[in-house]
């Protein structure tokens, strides 16, 4: 089973009726979502300890996506089938690349740019 993840720069395509089955990952509040979460800040140790270090090897977004998938499988919280990532326009290419490069994210989610 794969969930869908959309990387967007605004929420105009997400009316209230569409939000009830989706999780919003954003730093701003919005109404009507099954759940809303903020991304954790980047680790201050990122890429300091070396390859394979658990605190340096995964981005906060990857960890968040893994937790959301686990929550969905275990039935934690309100059911959802879609994740919406709200990002700034200049961050979008980097976020899409991160999602496409993460093997676990690609296995669990269909990424829609």
């Amino acid at each position: 089973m794969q969930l869908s993840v959309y990387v967007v720069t605004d929420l105009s395509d997400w009316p209230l009726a569409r939000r009830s089955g989706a999780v919003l990952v954003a730093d701003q509040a919005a109404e009507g979502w099954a759940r809303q979460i903020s991304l954790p800040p980047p680790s201050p140790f990122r890429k300091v300890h070396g390859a394979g270090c658990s605190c340096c090897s995964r981005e906060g977004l990857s960890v968040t996506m893994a937790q959301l998938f686990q929550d969905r499988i275990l039935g934690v919280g309100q059911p959802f089938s879609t994740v919406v990532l709200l990002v700034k326009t200049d961050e979008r290419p980097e976020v899409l690349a991160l999602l496409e490069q993460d093997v676990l994210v690609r296995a669990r989610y269909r990424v829609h740019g």
Side-chain angles (χ1 to χ4, degrees), residues 30-41:
E31 294 182 21
W33 299 91
R35 184 186 318 175
Q36 183 174 340
I37 57 175
S38 295
L39 285 177

Side-chain angles (χ1 to χ4, degrees), residues 40-55:
S43 168
F45 304 109
R46 181 161 158 61
K47 299 184 180 177
V48 173
H49 297 140
C53 170
S54 63
C55 65

Side-chain angles (χ1 to χ4, degrees), residues 10-103:
D10 68 71
L11 298 176
S12 61
D13 291 335
W14 294 90
L16 284 176
R18 193 173 178 196
R19 294 177 183 190
S20 64
V23 172
L24 175 64
V25 179
D27 290 331
Q28 69 183 44
E31 294 182 21
W33 299 91
R35 184 186 318 175
Q36 183 174 340
I37 57 175
S38 295
L39 285 177
S43 168
F45 304 109
R46 181 161 158 61
K47 299 184 180 177
V48 173
H49 297 140
C53 170
S54 63
C55 65
C56 296
S57 61
R58 305 245 11 237
E59 291 281 345
L61 177 57
S62 297
V63 173
T64 298
M65 298 300 287
Q67 183 63 54
L68 283 172
F69 189 82
Q70 182 177 2
D71 289 353
R72 171 68 166 99
I73 296 302
L74 296 175
V76 174
Q78 188 173 338
F80 64 93
S81 60
T82 304
V83 176
V84 178
L85 298 172
L86 180 62
V87 299
K88 295 177 185 164
T89 303
D90 60 330
E91 296 173 337
R92 193 169 182 273
E94 183 180 343
V95 169
L96 283 168
L98 185 140
L99 294 173
E100 293 290 343
Q101 293 170 6
D102 190 296
V103 175

